[in-house]
């Protein structure tokens, strides 16, 4: 008996809705796709700002005893840079990608709460504006971790520190509202047949990202509110002179801060798990193991925050517990890496740009993961804490991890969002510049750290090879910057002259490729019945069967259905 794999009309709509035009239609929109685009464009602008701040710092460090910037400006630069990259780029960029693709991948027509979704975006923008407005007065300078007493009113009376607090409040509320919305959407609005066991792995990642945000963000919100009242309303939560405790801040901050790392990286894992099987032309290896590992990493992530506090006065038994639980996270992470490699193994691998960024991610993230295991050994951390070894580690995780996967996502999904392909030539050039740039910038920083150069210093003496090493790092950072620029040029060019993509240019597996590129306002006219983890593969097979093996592109699309085909 022939199995019915054809798209089964589930919900009929009222024809194709017309897309509103003009800038007011963007400001008032509640369409998840437009909100997603606004998220992505805004956060990319912040990425560029954070990148310029990084390059100014690298210029300053390009020569020993350099005087390009003052010590205070340097402090402001690394504070703005770290806070921007985390709160205004990686976390909300993942929310932007999820906004655009969660409804499409699960076969829904929008998010569960479209107006709340718009509010999330506007809160994010408000946070960014409030934070960057501080550059006209006095930017914050206590680092992205804002430890008291550095962040107390005595040390940093300027309003910039308060702007940092509002940044956390506004982007935090934005993230929480977004997370609730993703959770509600995924839990309730999946296409018929998309059971939990058939959820795309990107969706598993966003679900976990959302749960992490819901548990971690309120803690930092409370902490920064306490900091605010310490600064302005006479409380002494973190003030040691009045029986307050700076270590309390560290506990609250890192209870949020370590899960924040997974908030930044798990969606990237999800992106890689979507892209690899498409370009290896093979099903993902170990779907269940990857989904389970995602949840395991998230859970373990809540047990390890004190590995950021190994130099604080903490009982040794706790240090040992934290060290061991940190090691434990390497297990599910290793499971994922093995599964990704197994997916590529003996596949018909097509080295297109999205795959290159995924492969680059695996290599770079592995380096960051391994240096992380070193740092989790607390006697080692006692030596390396606050040195460039830590700067190297965190950038391999965040640039090698989050940035690489975000670029993979840009190259993979740009055709869906705009209807046009990015240039492969420029894409590959961008990848190689970025890959070499990351290695040149950050690999040598392990050595700089082992040689004892502390982080967060604006100058250094030329002891040993420090000058040479820092020059390599600075040159590397500009190569990396150039790589980013090539992608910006690629995007600008393709918006005008890119090859028209069609609905499914990669012959991919998930439902966003079922609809046209860009998708209509209502996403789908018919939502297909889902029968496996790879519904588009089923649909293509069914079409080929019906047309007697003819290529799917010549298939006749069932009446009322959005275009299917390749
Ligand atoms: C684009 C390439 C990047 C370069 C060249 C770069 C460079 C730097 C430099 C020079 C510092 C200051 C080191 C110090 O003095 O202690 C720094 C700190 C930092 N960076 Fe980056 N960075 C880059 C990308 C990123 C990204 C993408 C993220 C996060 C997603 C990030 C997160 C941080 C954080 C959290 C700090 C610590 C800030 C602090 O000490 O308060 N960076 N980076
Ligand atoms: Cu951590």
């Amino acid at each position: 008996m022939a199995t019915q794999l054809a798209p089964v009309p589930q919900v009929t709509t009222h024809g194709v809705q017309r897309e509103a035009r003009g800038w007011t239609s963007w400001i008032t929109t509640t369409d998840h796709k437009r909100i997603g685009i606004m998220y992505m464009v805004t956060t990319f602008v912040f990425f560029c700002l954070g990148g310029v701040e990084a390059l100014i710092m690298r210029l300053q460090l390009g020569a020993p005893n350099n005087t390009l910037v003052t010590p205070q400006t340097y402090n402001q630069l690394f504070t703005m840079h770290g806070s921007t990259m985390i709160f205004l780029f990686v976390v909300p960029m993942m929310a932007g990608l999820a906004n655009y693709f969660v409804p499409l991948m699960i076969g829904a027509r929008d998010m569960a709460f479209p107006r709340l979704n718009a509010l999330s975006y506007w809160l994010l923008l408000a946070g960014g504006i409030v934070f960057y407005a501080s550059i006209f007065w006095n930017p914050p300078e206590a680092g992205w971790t804002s430890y008291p007493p550095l962040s107390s009113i005595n040390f940093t009376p300027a309003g910039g520190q308060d702007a940092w607090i509002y940044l956390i409040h506004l982007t935090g509320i934005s993230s929480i509202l977004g997370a609730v919305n993703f959770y509600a959407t995924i839990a309730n609005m999946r296409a018929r047949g998309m059971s939990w066991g058939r959820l795309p792995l990107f969706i598993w990642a966003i679900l976990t990202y959302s749960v992490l945000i819901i548990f971690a963000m309120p803690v930092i919100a409370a902490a920064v509110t306490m900091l605010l009242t310490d600064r302005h309303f006479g409380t002494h939560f973190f003030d040691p002179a009045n029986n307050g405790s700076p270590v309390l801040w560290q506990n609250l901050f890192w209870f949020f801060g370590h899960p924040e790392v997974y908030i930044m990286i798990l969606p990237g894992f999800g992106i890689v798990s979507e892209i690899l099987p498409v370009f290896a032309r093979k099903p993902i290896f170990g779907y269940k193991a990857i989904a389970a590992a995602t949840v395991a990493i998230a859970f373990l992530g809540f047990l390890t925050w004190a590995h950021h506090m190994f130099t604080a006065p903490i009982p040794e038994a706790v240090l040992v517990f934290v060290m061991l639980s940190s090691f434990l996270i390497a297990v599910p992470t290793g499971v994922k890496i093995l599964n990704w490699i197994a997916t590529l193994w003996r596949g018909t691998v097509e080295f297109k740009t999205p795959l290159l960024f995924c492969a680059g991610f695996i290599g770079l993230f592995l380096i960051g993961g391994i240096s992380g295991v070193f740092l989790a050994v607390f006697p080692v951390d006692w030596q390396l804490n606050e040195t460039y070894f830590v700067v190297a580690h965190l950038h391999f995780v965040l640039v090698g991890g989050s940035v690489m996967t975000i670029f993979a996502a840009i190259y993979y999904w740009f055709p869906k969002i705009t209807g046009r392909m990015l240039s492969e030539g420029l894409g590959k050039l961008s990848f190689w510049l970025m890959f070499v740039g990351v290695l040149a910038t950050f690999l040598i920083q392990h050595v700089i750290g082992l040689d004892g150069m502390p982080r967060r210093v604006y100058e250094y003496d030329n002891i040993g090879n420090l000058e040479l090493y820092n020059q390599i790092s600075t040159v590397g950072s500009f190569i990396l910057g150039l790589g980013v620029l090539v992608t910006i040029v690629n995007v600008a060019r393709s918006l005008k002259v890119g090859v028209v993509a069609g609905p499914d240019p990669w012959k991919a597996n998930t439902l966003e490729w079922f609809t046209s590129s860009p998708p209509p306002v209502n996403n789908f006219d018919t939502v297909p019945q889902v029968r496996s983890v790879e519904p588009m593969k089923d649909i293509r097979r069914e079409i080929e069967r019906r047309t007697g093996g003819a290529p799917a592109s010549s298939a006749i699309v069932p009446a009322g259905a959005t275009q299917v085909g390749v």
Side-chain angles (χ1 to χ4, degrees), residues 2 61 85 96 118 138 254 274 321 339 372 432 451 495 503 515 518 556:
L61 297 171
M85 287 300 194
N138 234 333
W254 289 113
E274 293 301 334
F321 171 80
N339 280 320
W432 284 111
D451 281 357
L495 283 175
T515 184
I556 297 151

Side-chain angles (χ1 to χ4, degrees), residues 107-138:
R109 295 211 160 77
D110 205 327
M111 296 279 285
F113 309 114
R115 274 176 283 185
L116 196 67
N117 200 19
L119 179 64
S120 301
Y121 168 75
W122 293 108
L123 284 170
L124 164 76
L125 185 67
I129 290 173
V130 168
F131 186 55
Y132 268 84
S134 75
I135 60 178
F136 298 110
W137 290 276
N138 234 333

Side-chain angles (χ1 to χ4, degrees), residues 47 51 54-55 57-58 61 74 78-79 81-83 85-86 89-90 142-145 264 388 391 394-395 398-399 402-403 441-442 445 454-457 477 480:
F47 173 56
L55 292 181
M57 283 190 283
R58 277 317 322 167
L61 297 171
Y74 189 87
F78 69 65
T79 304
H81 163 76
S83 309
M85 287 300 194
I86 290 175
F89 171 53
V90 177
W144 88 278
T145 50
M264 289 191 273
Y388 260 84
V391 178
L394 78 90
H395 284 91
L398 292 172
V399 184
S402 307
V403 174
T441 311
F442 298 114
Q445 288 185 2
R455 68 189 276 206
R456 293 178 172 171
V457 294
S477 68
L480 174 51

Side-chain angles (χ1 to χ4, degrees), residues 55 58 399 404 407 428-442 471-487:
L55 292 181
R58 277 317 322 167
V399 184
M404 283 292 182
F407 274 71
K428 291 195 169 118
L429 178 65
S430 174
F431 167 75
W432 284 111
L433 286 170
M434 287 177 70
F435 185 70
V436 170
V438 174
L439 285 173
T441 311
F442 298 114
Q471 274 168 356
I472 294 173
S473 180
T474 297
V475 170
S477 68
F478 279 83
I479 298 175
L480 174 51
L482 195 64
V484 174
L485 209 60
V486 172
T487 287

Side-chain angles (χ1 to χ4, degrees), residues 159-404:
Q161 190 59 48
D162 298 308
W164 182 86
I165 291 172
Y166 300 136
L167 167 80
I168 307 302
H169 274 145
L170 289 164
T171 56
I173 301 171
S174 161
S175 289
I176 292 172
L177 297 181
V180 170
N181 216 342
F182 291 133
Y183 197 100
T185 308
I186 297 168
N188 297 310
M189 296 170 67
R190 303 192 302 278
R192 249 190 328 149
M194 188 179 279
S195 55
W196 292 104
R198 293 177 185 162
L199 220 52
L201 286 166
F202 178 69
I203 304 293
W204 270 112
I206 293 302
L207 199 65
T208 318
Y209 158 98
S210 303
V211 173
L212 283 173
I213 285 178
I214 291 166
F215 281 103
M217 279 286 169
V219 177
I220 185 77
V224 298
T225 308
M226 290 154 81
L227 185 61
L228 189 73
T229 60
D230 266 17
R231 285 172 60 81
H232 298 293
F233 304 108
T235 57
H236 304 285
F237 292 112
F238 307 123
D239 173 12
N242 286 289
N243 288 326
S245 161
V247 176
L248 172 64
W249 168 269
Q250 295 186 22
N251 275 306
L252 293 173
F253 184 88
W254 289 113
F255 180 84
F256 145 83
H258 188 79
E260 176 82 342
V261 177
Y262 296 113
I263 291 171
M264 289 191 273
I265 199 71
L266 288 178
F269 289 179
I271 292 164
V272 172
S273 304
E274 293 301 334
I275 294 178
L276 286 181
V278 172
F279 292 91
R281 302 260 135 243
K282 250 176 82 197
I284 187 89
F285 185 89
Y287 169 90
K288 279 189 188 152
I290 294 184
T294 305
V295 178
I297 291 172
F299 174 76
L300 292 172
F302 277 108
L303 303 181
T304 63
W305 78 86
H307 66 205
H308 297 270
M309 302 165 56
F310 280 148
T311 53
I314 292 176
E316 206 145 290
V318 177
L319 297 185
V320 171
F321 171 80
V322 171
M323 172 174 77
L324 294 178
S325 53
S326 301
F327 288 168
L328 216 54
I329 297 193
V331 176
T333 313
V335 164
K336 287 197 173 203
I337 291 179
L338 286 176
N339 280 320
W340 291 325
I341 294 173
T343 303
L344 290 175
W345 190 255
R346 301 216 166 137
T348 319
V349 180
E350 285 180 89
F351 277 100
K352 294 276 169 60
T353 311
L355 183 72
L356 284 182
F357 275 103
C358 290
F361 151 81
I362 295 177
L364 297 173
F365 182 77
L366 200 59
I367 298 177
I370 290 172
S371 62
V373 176
F374 290 7
L375 287 169
V377 184
F378 57 87
V380 174
D381 185 77
W382 287 342
Q383 304 300 315
L384 295 173
N385 182 53
E386 297 292 345
T387 70
Y388 260 84
F389 193 90
V390 174
V391 178
H393 158 69
L394 78 90
H395 284 91
F396 267 99
V397 172
L398 292 172
V399 184
S402 307
V403 174
M404 283 292 182

